[in-house]
Amino acid sequence: MRTINTNEMTQQFDNMFMAPARAFAALNVDFAEKMFNAQLDASKAYFDNSVAQARSFMNVKDAEGLRSYMEGQQKVAKELAERVKSDADKAVELQQDFIQKSQKLTEDNVKQAQETASKMSKSA
């Protein structure tokens, strides 16, 4: 009769289920934090730009000031378009990194599961 080694079973359970779950949870939390910070940075930049534009508009006192303000809007629009593109690129980069790390983690976990199953079948 075979004796049951609970420590070995616990270790196998951890290796097969809990360790991969913790690794995926850590990856998800890291990704969420990076995306949140990127969105926060972008939102702050857009807000700061809007406030600066509002303050600039409040300083318009005459036709010449209005003309100058309107000419400056072209520069602001160009900078904003560049910022939006940069923010979108950053989001895509973060998502691609997450996908690559997820795939690698999945591959590693499948390999680990196969090795564990092979060990279990040999010891049975």
Side-chain angles (χ1 to χ4, degrees):
M1 182 171 171
R2 183 173 175 200
T3 60
I4 298 174
N5 184 343
T6 57
N7 288 338
E8 183 179 330
M9 287 177 58
T10 301
Q11 185 62 42
Q12 288 175 351
F13 178 79
D14 185 64
N15 289 343
M16 294 279 291
F17 300 105
M18 298 309 295
R22 285 191 300 271
F24 276 113
L27 183 63
N28 281 304
V29 168
D30 185 49
F31 173 71
E33 180 182 28
K34 287 177 182 177
M35 283 298 287
F36 176 79
N37 286 331
Q39 291 171 346
L40 189 63
D41 290 345
S43 295
K44 180 162 179 10
Y46 300 143
F47 178 78
D48 289 347
N49 189 314
S50 296
V51 169
Q53 290 308 301
R55 291 188 189 286
S56 179
F57 184 73
M58 289 187 303
N59 289 329
V60 172
K61 307 254 190 272
D62 55 20
E64 180 59 31
L66 181 60
R67 185 186 63 75
S68 177
Y69 171 80
M70 295 305 288
E71 287 173 355
Q73 291 304 293
Q74 292 175 351
K75 180 182 174 191
V76 170
K78 182 181 178 192
E79 290 172 355
L80 182 61
E82 290 170 0
R83 175 67 198 228
V84 168
K85 182 184 180 314
S86 173
D87 290 339
D89 289 345
K90 185 172 186 170
V92 168
E93 180 183 317
L94 287 172
Q95 291 169 345
Q96 288 174 339
D97 182 57
F98 174 76
I99 290 168
Q100 289 171 351
K101 288 179 179 176
S102 294
Q103 288 173 339
K104 173 79 169 108
L105 195 55
T106 300
E107 290 168 5
D108 291 347
N109 289 332
V110 167
K111 184 179 177 183
Q112 176 69 30
Q114 288 171 339
E115 289 171 2
T116 301
S118 177
K119 287 178 188 175
M120 289 174 63
S121 67
K122 288 179 183 177
S123 67

Coordinates of all heavy atoms in Angstrom, one line a residue, residues 15-88:
N15 N 2.5 24.2 -7.2 CA 3.2 24.3 -8.5 C 2.2 24.4 -9.6 O 2.4 25.1 -10.6 CB 4.2 23.2 -8.6 CG 5.4 23.3 -7.7 OD1 5.6 24.4 -7.1 ND2 6.1 22.3 -7.6
M16 N 1.2 23.5 -9.6 CA 0.3 23.4 -10.7 C -0.8 24.5 -10.8 O -1.2 24.9 -11.9 CB -0.5 22.0 -10.6 CG 0.4 20.8 -10.8 SD 0.8 20.5 -12.5 CE -0.8 19.9 -13.1
F17 N -1.3 25.0 -9.6 CA -2.4 25.9 -9.6 C -2.1 27.3 -9.0 O -2.3 28.3 -9.6 CB -3.6 25.3 -8.9 CG -4.1 24.0 -9.6 CD1 -3.8 22.8 -9.0 CD2 -4.7 24.0 -10.8 CE1 -4.2 21.6 -9.6 CE2 -5.1 22.9 -11.4 CZ -4.9 21.7 -10.8
M18 N -1.6 27.3 -7.8 CA -1.4 28.5 -7.1 C -0.3 29.4 -7.6 O -0.5 30.6 -7.7 CB -1.3 28.3 -5.6 CG -2.5 27.5 -4.9 SD -4.1 28.4 -5.3 CE -3.8 29.9 -4.5
A19 N 0.8 28.8 -7.9 CA 2.0 29.6 -8.4 C 1.6 30.3 -9.7 O 1.8 31.5 -9.9 CB 3.2 28.8 -8.5
P20 N 1.0 29.6 -10.7 CA 0.6 30.2 -11.9 C -0.4 31.3 -11.7 O -0.4 32.4 -12.3 CB 0.1 29.1 -12.8 CG 0.7 27.9 -12.3 CD 0.9 28.1 -10.8
A21 N -1.4 31.0 -10.8 CA -2.4 32.0 -10.5 C -1.8 33.3 -9.9 O -2.2 34.4 -10.3 CB -3.5 31.5 -9.6
R22 N -0.8 33.1 -9.0 CA -0.2 34.3 -8.4 C 0.6 35.0 -9.5 O 0.6 36.3 -9.5 CB 0.8 33.9 -7.3 CG 0.0 33.5 -6.0 CD 1.0 33.3 -4.8 NE 2.0 32.3 -5.0 CZ 1.8 31.0 -4.7 NH1 0.7 30.6 -4.2 NH2 2.8 30.1 -5.0
A23 N 1.3 34.3 -10.3 CA 2.1 35.0 -11.4 C 1.2 35.8 -12.3 O 1.5 36.9 -12.7 CB 2.9 33.9 -12.2
F24 N 0.1 35.2 -12.7 CA -0.9 35.9 -13.6 C -1.5 37.1 -12.9 O -1.7 38.2 -13.5 CB -2.0 35.0 -14.1 CG -1.6 34.2 -15.4 CD1 -1.4 32.9 -15.3 CD2 -1.3 34.9 -16.6 CE1 -1.0 32.1 -16.4 CE2 -0.9 34.2 -17.7 CZ -0.8 32.8 -17.6
A25 N -1.8 37.0 -11.6 CA -2.3 38.1 -10.8 C -1.3 39.2 -10.7 O -1.7 40.4 -10.9 CB -2.7 37.6 -9.4
A26 N -0.1 38.9 -10.5 CA 1.0 39.9 -10.4 C 1.2 40.6 -11.8 O 1.3 41.8 -11.8 CB 2.3 39.2 -10.0
L27 N 1.1 39.8 -12.8 CA 1.2 40.4 -14.2 C 0.1 41.4 -14.4 O 0.3 42.5 -15.0 CB 1.3 39.3 -15.2 CG 1.5 39.8 -16.7 CD1 2.8 40.5 -16.9 CD2 1.4 38.5 -17.6
N28 N -1.1 41.0 -14.1 CA -2.3 41.8 -14.3 C -2.3 43.1 -13.4 O -2.6 44.1 -13.9 CB -3.6 41.0 -14.0 CG -4.0 40.1 -15.2 OD1 -4.1 40.6 -16.3 ND2 -4.1 38.8 -14.9
V29 N -1.9 42.9 -12.2 CA -1.8 44.1 -11.3 C -0.7 45.1 -11.9 O -0.9 46.3 -11.9 CB -1.5 43.7 -9.9 CG1 -1.1 44.9 -9.0 CG2 -2.7 43.0 -9.3
D30 N 0.4 44.6 -12.3 CA 1.5 45.4 -12.8 C 1.0 46.1 -14.1 O 1.2 47.3 -14.2 CB 2.7 44.5 -13.2 CG 3.9 45.4 -13.6 OD1 4.2 46.3 -13.0 OD2 4.5 45.0 -14.7
F31 N 0.3 45.4 -15.0 CA -0.2 46.0 -16.2 C -1.3 47.1 -15.9 O -1.2 48.2 -16.4 CB -0.9 44.9 -17.1 CG -1.6 45.5 -18.3 CD1 -0.9 46.1 -19.3 CD2 -3.0 45.4 -18.4 CE1 -1.5 46.6 -20.5 CE2 -3.6 45.9 -19.5 CZ -2.9 46.5 -20.5
A32 N -2.2 46.8 -14.9 CA -3.2 47.8 -14.6 C -2.6 49.0 -14.0 O -3.0 50.1 -14.3 CB -4.2 47.1 -13.6
E33 N -1.5 48.8 -13.2 CA -0.9 50.0 -12.6 C -0.2 50.9 -13.6 O -0.3 52.1 -13.6 CB 0.2 49.5 -11.5 CG 0.9 50.7 -10.9 CD 2.0 50.2 -9.9 OE1 2.5 49.1 -10.1 OE2 2.3 51.0 -9.0
K34 N 0.5 50.2 -14.6 CA 1.2 50.9 -15.6 C 0.2 51.7 -16.5 O 0.4 52.8 -16.9 CB 2.0 50.0 -16.5 CG 3.3 49.5 -15.8 CD 4.0 48.5 -16.7 CE 5.2 48.0 -15.9 NZ 5.9 47.0 -16.8
M35 N -0.9 51.0 -16.9 CA -2.0 51.7 -17.7 C -2.6 52.8 -16.9 O -2.9 53.9 -17.5 CB -3.0 50.7 -18.1 CG -2.6 49.7 -19.3 SD -2.2 50.6 -20.8 CE -3.8 51.1 -21.4
F36 N -2.9 52.6 -15.7 CA -3.5 53.7 -14.9 C -2.6 54.9 -14.8 O -3.1 56.0 -15.0 CB -3.9 53.2 -13.5 CG -4.4 54.3 -12.6 CD1 -5.7 54.6 -12.7 CD2 -3.6 54.9 -11.7 CE1 -6.3 55.6 -11.9 CE2 -4.1 55.9 -10.9 CZ -5.4 56.3 -11.0
N37 N -1.3 54.7 -14.6 CA -0.4 55.8 -14.5 C -0.2 56.5 -15.8 O -0.1 57.7 -15.9 CB 1.0 55.3 -14.0 CG 1.0 55.0 -12.5 OD1 0.2 55.6 -11.7 ND2 1.8 54.1 -12.0
A38 N -0.2 55.7 -16.9 CA -0.1 56.3 -18.2 C -1.4 57.2 -18.5 O -1.3 58.3 -19.0 CB 0.0 55.3 -19.3
Q39 N -2.5 56.7 -18.1 CA -3.8 57.5 -18.3 C -3.8 58.7 -17.4 O -4.3 59.8 -17.8 CB -5.0 56.6 -18.1 CG -5.2 55.5 -19.1 CD -6.2 54.5 -18.8 OE1 -6.7 54.4 -17.6 NE2 -6.6 53.7 -19.7
L40 N -3.3 58.5 -16.2 CA -3.3 59.7 -15.3 C -2.3 60.7 -15.8 O -2.7 61.9 -15.8 CB -2.8 59.2 -13.9 CG -2.9 60.1 -12.7 CD1 -4.3 60.5 -12.5 CD2 -2.3 59.5 -11.5
D41 N -1.1 60.3 -16.3 CA -0.2 61.3 -16.8 C -0.8 62.0 -18.0 O -0.7 63.3 -18.2 CB 1.1 60.6 -17.3 CG 1.9 60.1 -16.1 OD1 1.7 60.6 -15.0 OD2 2.8 59.3 -16.4
A42 N -1.5 61.3 -18.9 CA -2.1 61.9 -20.1 C -3.2 62.9 -19.7 O -3.3 64.0 -20.2 CB -2.7 60.8 -21.0
S43 N -4.1 62.4 -18.7 CA -5.1 63.3 -18.3 C -4.6 64.6 -17.7 O -5.2 65.7 -17.9 CB -6.0 62.6 -17.2 OG -6.6 61.5 -17.8
K44 N -3.6 64.5 -16.9 CA -3.0 65.7 -16.3 C -2.4 66.6 -17.3 O -2.6 67.8 -17.3 CB -1.9 65.3 -15.3 CG -1.3 66.5 -14.6 CD -0.5 66.2 -13.4 CE 0.1 67.4 -12.7 NZ -0.2 68.8 -13.2
A45 N -1.7 66.0 -18.3 CA -1.2 66.9 -19.4 C -2.3 67.6 -20.2 O -2.2 68.8 -20.5 CB -0.4 66.0 -20.4
Y46 N -3.4 66.8 -20.5 CA -4.5 67.4 -21.2 C -5.2 68.5 -20.3 O -5.6 69.6 -20.9 CB -5.6 66.4 -21.6 CG -5.0 65.3 -22.5 CD1 -5.4 64.0 -22.4 CD2 -4.0 65.6 -23.5 CE1 -4.9 63.0 -23.2 CE2 -3.5 64.6 -24.3 CZ -4.0 63.3 -24.2 OH -3.5 62.3 -25.0
F47 N -5.3 68.3 -19.1 CA -6.0 69.2 -18.2 C -5.1 70.5 -18.1 O -5.6 71.6 -18.2 CB -6.2 68.6 -16.8 CG -6.8 69.6 -15.8 CD1 -8.1 70.0 -15.9 CD2 -6.0 70.3 -14.9 CE1 -8.7 70.9 -15.0 CE2 -6.5 71.2 -14.0 CZ -7.8 71.5 -14.0
D48 N -3.8 70.3 -17.9 CA -2.9 71.4 -17.7 C -2.9 72.3 -19.0 O -2.9 73.5 -19.0 CB -1.4 70.9 -17.5 CG -1.3 70.4 -16.1 OD1 -2.2 70.6 -15.2 OD2 -0.2 69.7 -15.8
N49 N -3.0 71.6 -20.2 CA -3.0 72.3 -21.4 C -4.3 73.1 -21.5 O -4.3 74.3 -22.0 CB -2.9 71.3 -22.6 CG -2.8 72.0 -23.9 OD1 -3.5 72.9 -24.2 ND2 -1.9 71.4 -24.7
S50 N -5.4 72.5 -21.1 CA -6.7 73.2 -21.2 C -6.7 74.4 -20.3 O -7.2 75.5 -20.6 CB -7.8 72.3 -20.7 OG -8.0 71.2 -21.7
V51 N -6.2 74.3 -19.1 CA -6.1 75.4 -18.1 C -5.2 76.5 -18.7 O -5.6 77.7 -18.6 CB -5.6 74.9 -16.7 CG1 -5.3 76.1 -15.8 CG2 -6.6 74.1 -16.1
A52 N -4.1 76.1 -19.3 CA -3.2 77.1 -19.9 C -3.9 77.9 -21.0 O -3.7 79.1 -21.1 CB -1.9 76.5 -20.4
Q53 N -4.7 77.1 -21.8 CA -5.4 77.8 -22.9 C -6.5 78.7 -22.4 O -6.7 79.8 -22.9 CB -6.0 76.7 -23.8 CG -4.9 76.0 -24.6 CD -4.0 77.0 -25.4 OE1 -4.5 77.8 -26.2 NE2 -2.7 76.9 -25.1
A54 N -7.2 78.3 -21.3 CA -8.2 79.2 -20.7 C -7.6 80.4 -20.2 O -8.1 81.5 -20.4 CB -8.9 78.4 -19.7
R55 N -6.4 80.3 -19.5 CA -5.8 81.5 -18.9 C -5.3 82.4 -20.1 O -5.4 83.6 -20.0 CB -4.6 81.0 -18.1 CG -5.0 80.4 -16.8 CD -3.8 80.2 -15.8 NE -4.2 79.3 -14.7 CZ -4.9 79.7 -13.7 NH1 -5.4 80.9 -13.6 NH2 -5.2 78.9 -12.7
S56 N -4.8 81.8 -21.1 CA -4.3 82.6 -22.3 C -5.5 83.3 -22.9 O -5.4 84.5 -23.2 CB -3.7 81.7 -23.3 OG -3.2 82.4 -24.4
F57 N -6.6 82.7 -23.0 CA -7.8 83.3 -23.6 C -8.3 84.5 -22.7 O -8.7 85.5 -23.2 CB -8.9 82.3 -23.8 CG -10.1 82.9 -24.5 CD1 -10.1 83.3 -25.8 CD2 -11.3 83.1 -23.8 CE1 -11.2 83.8 -26.5 CE2 -12.4 83.7 -24.4 CZ -12.3 84.0 -25.8
M58 N -8.2 84.3 -21.4 CA -8.7 85.3 -20.4 C -7.8 86.6 -20.5 O -8.2 87.7 -20.1 CB -8.7 84.8 -19.0 CG -9.8 83.8 -18.7 SD -10.0 83.3 -17.0 CE -8.4 82.7 -16.6
N59 N -6.6 86.4 -21.1 CA -5.7 87.6 -21.2 C -5.9 88.4 -22.5 O -5.3 89.4 -22.7 CB -4.2 87.1 -21.1 CG -3.8 86.7 -19.7 OD1 -4.4 87.2 -18.8 ND2 -2.9 85.8 -19.6
V60 N -6.8 87.9 -23.3 CA -7.2 88.6 -24.6 C -7.9 89.9 -24.2 O -9.0 89.8 -23.6 CB -8.0 87.7 -25.5 CG1 -8.5 88.5 -26.7 CG2 -7.2 86.5 -26.0
K61 N -7.4 91.0 -24.7 CA -8.0 92.3 -24.3 C -8.4 93.1 -25.6 O -9.2 94.0 -25.4 CB -7.0 93.1 -23.5 CG -6.4 92.5 -22.3 CD -7.0 93.0 -21.1 CE -6.2 92.5 -19.8 NZ -6.7 91.3 -19.3
D62 N -7.9 92.7 -26.7 CA -8.2 93.5 -27.9 C -8.1 92.5 -29.1 O -7.8 91.4 -29.0 CB -7.3 94.7 -28.1 CG -5.8 94.3 -28.0 OD1 -5.5 93.1 -28.3 OD2 -5.0 95.2 -27.8
A63 N -8.3 93.1 -30.3 CA -8.3 92.3 -31.6 C -6.9 91.7 -31.8 O -6.8 90.6 -32.3 CB -8.7 93.2 -32.7
E64 N -5.8 92.5 -31.5 CA -4.5 92.0 -31.7 C -4.2 90.8 -30.8 O -3.6 89.8 -31.2 CB -3.4 93.1 -31.4 CG -2.0 92.7 -31.6 CD -1.7 92.1 -33.0 OE1 -2.3 92.6 -34.0 OE2 -0.8 91.3 -33.1
G65 N -4.7 90.9 -29.5 CA -4.5 89.8 -28.6 C -5.3 88.6 -29.0 O -4.8 87.4 -28.9
L66 N -6.5 88.8 -29.6 CA -7.3 87.7 -30.1 C -6.6 87.0 -31.3 O -6.5 85.8 -31.4 CB -8.7 88.1 -30.5 CG -9.6 87.0 -31.0 CD1 -9.8 85.9 -30.0 CD2 -10.9 87.7 -31.5
R67 N -6.0 87.8 -32.2 CA -5.3 87.3 -33.4 C -4.1 86.5 -32.9 O -3.9 85.3 -33.4 CB -4.8 88.4 -34.3 CG -4.2 87.9 -35.6 CD -3.6 89.1 -36.4 NE -2.5 89.7 -35.7 CZ -1.3 89.3 -35.6 NH1 -1.0 88.1 -36.0 NH2 -0.3 90.0 -34.9
S68 N -3.4 87.0 -31.9 CA -2.2 86.3 -31.4 C -2.6 85.0 -30.7 O -2.0 83.9 -30.9 CB -1.5 87.2 -30.4 OG -0.4 86.5 -29.8
Y69 N -3.7 85.0 -30.0 CA -4.2 83.8 -29.4 C -4.6 82.8 -30.4 O -4.3 81.6 -30.3 CB -5.5 84.2 -28.5 CG -6.2 82.9 -27.9 CD1 -5.7 82.3 -26.8 CD2 -7.3 82.5 -28.5 CE1 -6.3 81.1 -26.3 CE2 -8.0 81.4 -28.0 CZ -7.5 80.7 -26.9 OH -8.1 79.6 -26.5
M70 N -5.3 83.2 -31.4 CA -5.8 82.3 -32.5 C -4.6 81.7 -33.2 O -4.6 80.5 -33.6 CB -6.7 82.9 -33.4 CG -8.1 83.4 -32.8 SD -8.9 82.0 -32.0 CE -9.5 81.1 -33.4
E71 N -3.6 82.4 -33.5 CA -2.4 81.9 -34.1 C -1.7 80.9 -33.3 O -1.2 79.9 -33.8 CB -1.4 83.1 -34.5 CG -1.9 83.9 -35.6 CD -1.0 85.1 -35.8 OE1 0.0 85.4 -35.0 OE2 -1.2 85.9 -36.8
G72 N -1.7 81.1 -32.0 CA -1.1 80.2 -31.0 C -1.9 78.8 -31.0 O -1.3 77.8 -30.6
Q73 N -3.1 78.9 -31.4 CA -3.9 77.7 -31.3 C -3.5 76.6 -32.3 O -3.6 75.4 -32.1 CB -5.4 78.0 -31.6 CG -6.1 78.8 -30.4 CD -5.9 78.1 -29.1 OE1 -6.5 77.0 -28.9 NE2 -5.2 78.6 -28.2
Q74 N -2.9 77.1 -33.4 CA -2.3 76.1 -34.4 C -1.2 75.3 -33.7 O -1.1 74.1 -33.9 CB -1.8 76.8 -35.6 CG -2.9 77.4 -36.4 CD -2.4 78.2 -37.6 OE1 -1.2 78.5 -37.7 NE2 -3.3 78.6 -38.5
K75 N -0.3 76.0 -33.0 CA 0.8 75.3 -32.3 C 0.2 74.4 -31.2 O 0.7 73.2 -31.1 CB 1.7 76.3 -31.7 CG 2.9 75.7 -30.9 CD 3.7 76.8 -30.3 CE 4.8 76.2 -29.4 NZ 5.5 77.1 -28.6
V76 N -0.8 74.8 -30.5 CA -1.4 74.0 -29.4 C -2.0 72.8 -30.0 O -1.8 71.7 -29.5 CB -2.4 74.8 -28.6 CG1 -3.2 73.9 -27.7 CG2 -1.7 75.9 -27.8
A77 N -2.7 72.9 -31.2 CA -3.4 71.8 -31.8 C -2.3 70.8 -32.3 O -2.5 69.6 -32.1 CB -4.2 72.3 -33.0
K78 N -1.2 71.3 -32.8 CA -0.1 70.4 -33.3 C 0.5 69.6 -32.1 O 0.7 68.4 -32.2 CB 0.9 71.1 -34.0 CG 2.0 70.3 -34.6 CD 3.1 71.1 -35.3 CE 4.2 70.2 -35.7 NZ 5.4 70.9 -36.1
E79 N 0.7 70.3 -31.0 CA 1.3 69.7 -29.8 C 0.4 68.7 -29.2 O 0.8 67.6 -28.8 CB 1.7 70.8 -28.8 CG 2.9 71.6 -29.2 CD 3.1 72.8 -28.2 OE1 2.2 73.0 -27.3 OE2 4.1 73.5 -28.4
L80 N -0.9 69.0 -29.2 CA -1.9 68.1 -28.7 C -2.0 66.8 -29.5 O -2.1 65.7 -29.0 CB -3.3 68.8 -28.6 CG -4.4 67.9 -28.0 CD1 -4.1 67.5 -26.6 CD2 -5.7 68.7 -28.1
A81 N -2.0 67.0 -30.9 CA -2.0 65.8 -31.8 C -0.8 64.9 -31.5 O -0.9 63.7 -31.5 CB -2.1 66.3 -33.2
E82 N 0.3 65.5 -31.3 CA 1.6 64.7 -31.1 C 1.4 64.0 -29.7 O 1.9 62.9 -29.6 CB 2.8 65.7 -31.1 CG 3.1 66.2 -32.5 CD 4.2 67.3 -32.5 OE1 4.7 67.6 -31.4 OE2 4.6 67.7 -33.5
R83 N 0.9 64.7 -28.7 CA 0.7 64.1 -27.4 C -0.3 62.9 -27.5 O 0.0 61.9 -26.9 CB 0.2 65.1 -26.4 CG -0.1 64.6 -25.0 CD 1.1 64.2 -24.3 NE 0.8 63.3 -23.2 CZ 1.3 63.4 -22.0 NH1 2.2 64.4 -21.7 NH2 1.0 62.6 -21.0
V84 N -1.4 63.1 -28.2 CA -2.3 62.0 -28.3 C -1.7 60.8 -29.0 O -1.9 59.7 -28.6 CB -3.6 62.5 -29.1 CG1 -4.5 61.3 -29.5 CG2 -4.4 63.5 -28.3
K85 N -0.9 61.0 -30.1 CA -0.2 59.9 -30.8 C 0.7 59.3 -29.8 O 0.8 58.0 -29.7 CB 0.5 60.4 -32.0 CG 1.2 59.3 -32.8 CD 2.0 59.8 -33.9 CE 2.7 58.8 -34.7 NZ 3.4 57.8 -34.0
S86 N 1.5 60.0 -29.1 CA 2.5 59.5 -28.1 C 1.8 58.6 -27.0 O 2.2 57.6 -26.7 CB 3.3 60.6 -27.5 OG 4.1 60.1 -26.5
D87 N 0.7 59.1 -26.5 CA -0.1 58.4 -25.5 C -0.7 57.1 -26.1 O -0.6 56.1 -25.4 CB -1.2 59.3 -24.9 CG -0.7 60.4 -24.1 OD1 0.5 60.4 -23.6 OD2 -1.4 61.4 -23.9
A88 N -1.1 57.2 -27.3 CA -1.7 56.0 -27.9 C -0.6 54.9 -28.1 O -0.8 53.7 -27.9 CB -2.4 56.3 -29.2

